[in-house]
């Protein structure tokens, strides 16, 4: 089969590799119908993720069709359409029993395109199928659920739920990339009083407005702290999300909130960050961090099915799976392509006449 293979820092290829096979009785093999690229894949390609060794197939978000099941798999059958989450769950360890799949001790957690072969491929081996995949209802098409594999549950769990967004809250979001935008969509489920989005890129701020931010601030040009204070009678936001992953944005998020406010850090920090406890302690602030568990996927899928959440607005570009190399170029150059998420469409999906796909096919390229 063909797959997008990591060959060490700065190097990738669309290569012919061995077809995946069932290894453990809890495995399934899935034909990939739709996949996508994440900012984390770009980090791996920069060499920032040393656990990912050259030769690994990248990708940790996909929708596919079950081809083959291992001897002990009982909840899915060949032909079923499934969403493959960025986080797998052994279902048995202490953390999986608590729904904290990201911390799985039994071989799960973030493994696709990280420590095992991933999902930007024609086929994939999927471990722990019974406890890790989500059946997709017939009435939902691939693009309606694809972004529930990573960005939606990340923003919802590590941002909105950890930050305890409550009706009426002023929610400040620092960083309007896919994660910050997903935080806007999922914060809106709680009817906040105002959503304020900040970014350095005007194109991202335009997206934030389209996704539902009430106020956008270019914090490179304007004094974001002063503007937030002005909008909140000098108090600050009730909740701030850090959705970038650098010192200055973390610091801004902690400065933006009111006394007794909450900061939910979503960004992945590659470098040490200073926490100004000398200023924060007296303000009764709560700070949370987290890795996504994706335990909210069923809830989010219900919201999509009932029309209350529409993640399809993330899909800015569509490519045939075999053009994944070009899709990477487009995604990595978001500053000039305005890419949010690129959809990679498997050949079955491109040629299928099952009715789900007509809109996607029209947009390929
Ligand atoms: N906690 C988790 O489980 C988890 C999961 C997935 C991603 N993440 C992290 O979330 C963060 C955001 O992900 P993404 O995919 O949206 O990333 P992204 O790089 O696509 O977007 C980041 C955005 O931040 C903006 N930005 C950069 N510097 C800024 C600054 N100084 N002030 C304001 N805005 C600034 C950029 O213009 C961009 O729009 C990353 O750090 C990513 O690793 C965390
Ligand atoms: Zn990701
Ligand atoms: Zn586990």
């Amino acid at each position: 089969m063909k797959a997008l293979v990591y060959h060490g820092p700065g190097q990738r290829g669309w290569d012919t590799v061995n077809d995946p096979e069932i290894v453990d009785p809890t495995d399934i093999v899935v034909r990939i119908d739709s996949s996508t690229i994440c900012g984390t894949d770009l980090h791996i390609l920069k060499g920032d993720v040393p656990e990912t060794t050259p030769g690994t197939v990248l990708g940790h978000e996909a929708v596919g069709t079950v081809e083959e099941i291992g001897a002990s798999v009982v909840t899915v059958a060949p032909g079923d359409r499934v969403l493959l989450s960025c986080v797998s769950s052994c279902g048995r360890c202490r953390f999986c029993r608590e729904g904290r799949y990201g911390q799985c001790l039994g071989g799960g957690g973030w493994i696709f395109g990280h420590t095992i072969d991933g999902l930007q491929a024609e086929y994939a081996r999927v471990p722990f199928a019974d406890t890790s995949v989500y059946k997709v209802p017939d009435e939902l098409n691939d693009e309606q659920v694809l972004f529930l594999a990573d960005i939606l549950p990340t923003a919802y769990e590590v941002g909105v739920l950890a930050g305890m967004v409550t009706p009426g809250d002023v929610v400040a979001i620092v960083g309007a990339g896919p994660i910050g935008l997903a935080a806007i969509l999922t914060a809106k489920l709680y009817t906040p009083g105002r959503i304020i989005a900040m970014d350095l890129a005007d194109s991202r701020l335009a997206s934030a407005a389209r996704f539902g931010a009430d106020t956008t601030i270019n914090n490179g040009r304007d004094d974001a702290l002063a503007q937030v204070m002005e909008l909140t009678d000098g108090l600050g936001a009730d909740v701030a999300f850090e959705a970038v992953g650098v010192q200055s944005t973390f610091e801004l998020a902690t400065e933006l909130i009111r006394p007794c406010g909450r900061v939910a850090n979503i960004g992945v920090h590659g470098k040490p960050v200073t926490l100004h406890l000398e200023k924060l302690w007296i303000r009764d602030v709560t700070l949370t961090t987290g890795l996504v568990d994706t335990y909210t996927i069923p809830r989010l899928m219900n919201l999509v099915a009932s029309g209350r959440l529409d993640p399809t607005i993330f899909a800015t570009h569509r490519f045939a799976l075999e053009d994944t190399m070009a899709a990477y170029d487009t995604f990595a150059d978001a500053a000039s392509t305005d890419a949010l998420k690129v959809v990679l469409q498997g050949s079955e999906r491109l040629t299928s006449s099952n009715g789900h796909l007509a809109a996607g096919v029209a947009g390929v390229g």
Side-chain angles (χ1 to χ4, degrees):
M1 68 157 186
K2 291 283 193 178
L4 194 287
V5 180
Y6 171 62
H7 289 299
Q11 291 172 302
R12 54 176 153 85
W14 181 248
D15 298 350
T16 301
V17 299
N18 291 334
D19 288 345
E21 289 175 354
I22 303 278
V23 177
D24 295 315
T26 48
D27 291 348
I28 58 176
V29 170
V30 171
R31 183 192 74 217
I32 302 299
D33 299 325
S34 297
S35 188
T36 181
I37 305 172
C38 175
T40 304
D41 298 322
L42 303 182
H43 280 297
I44 294 172
L45 276 165
K46 274 193 214 143
D48 292 347
V49 185
E51 313 88 83
T52 304
T53 51
T56 304
V57 174
L58 296 187
H60 51 261
E61 303 158 85
V63 179
T65 304
V66 178
E67 284 273 318
E68 203 185 330
I69 64 170
S72 73
V73 173
V74 292
T75 59
V76 291
D80 285 351
R81 262 170 87 231
V82 289
L83 173 68
L84 304 177
S85 161
C86 64
V87 168
S88 302
S89 161
C90 80
R92 299 178 179 209
C93 74
R94 180 223 154 131
F95 292 112
C96 286
R97 297 289 295 267
E98 293 177 5
R100 308 301 296 265
Y101 314 133
Q103 306 296 331
C104 177
L105 299 170
W110 172 36
I111 52 175
F112 286 131
H114 180 207
T115 55
I116 68 168
D117 283 338
L119 309 177
Q120 290 157 7
E122 290 179 314
Y123 294 89
R125 170 186 161 244
V126 177
F128 308 118
D130 279 328
T131 45
S132 300
V133 310
Y134 300 85
K135 275 198 221 177
V136 180
D138 281 346
E139 63 272 22
L140 296 182
N141 68 36
D142 287 12
E143 282 182 23
Q144 285 177 290
V145 295
L146 179 59
F147 310 126
L148 269 44
D150 181 347
I151 56 172
L152 267 295
T154 295
Y156 182 45
E157 294 171 17
V158 187
V160 174
L161 292 178
M164 295 188 293
V165 172
T166 305
D169 274 353
V170 174
V171 178
I173 303 176
V174 187
I179 296 286
L181 296 171
I184 296 175
L185 285 190
T186 51
K188 269 169 45 187
L189 297 168
Y190 294 81
T191 323
R194 182 191 290 273
I195 297 177
I196 305 170
M198 283 150 263
D199 203 291
L200 301 176
D202 289 328
S203 62
R204 287 287 162 93
L205 292 171
S207 296
R210 201 159 53 87
F211 276 62
D214 302 287
T215 307
T216 61
I217 303 172
N218 185 316
N219 60 302
R221 263 197 322 261
D222 297 318
D223 185 340
L225 183 56
Q227 287 199 25
V228 171
M229 290 302 158
E230 201 179 307
L231 289 165
T232 55
D233 295 331
L235 276 183
D238 299 287
V239 196
F241 303 148
E242 198 286 341
V244 184
V246 298
Q247 168 76 39
S248 63
T249 48
F250 176 76
E251 222 166 293
L252 178 59
T254 61
E255 289 167 348
L256 285 172
I257 53 163
R258 63 165 168 81
C260 313
R262 286 98 62 198
V263 176
N265 181 88
I266 316 174
V268 172
H269 292 269
K271 293 192 184 136
V273 168
T274 304
L275 172 68
H276 285 289
L277 267 184
E278 77 282 5
K279 290 184 203 156
L280 293 170
W281 76 270
I282 203 167
R283 292 165 58 80
D284 298 10
V285 302
T286 301
L287 168 67
T288 56
T289 66
L291 167 69
V292 65
D293 295 305
T294 69
Y295 73 94
T296 60
I297 284 176
R299 194 188 303 182
L300 293 166
M301 216 183 272
N302 283 342
L303 286 161
V304 175
S306 61
R308 285 177 162 61
L309 181 67
D310 179 13
T312 62
I313 50 171
F314 277 105
T316 52
H317 296 74
R318 295 176 183 86
F319 292 86
L321 188 59
E322 63 192 32
D323 295 328
T324 297
M325 291 292 278
Y328 262 87
D329 295 336
T330 295
F331 182 71
D333 190 18
S336 55
T337 62
D338 278 348
L340 293 177
K341 287 297 260 186
V342 299
V343 181
L344 309 169
Q345 300 174 320
S347 55
E348 190 69 22
R349 198 183 152 199
L350 284 168
T351 54
S352 165
S353 56
N354 71 8
H356 286 311
L357 316 168
V361 173
V364 167

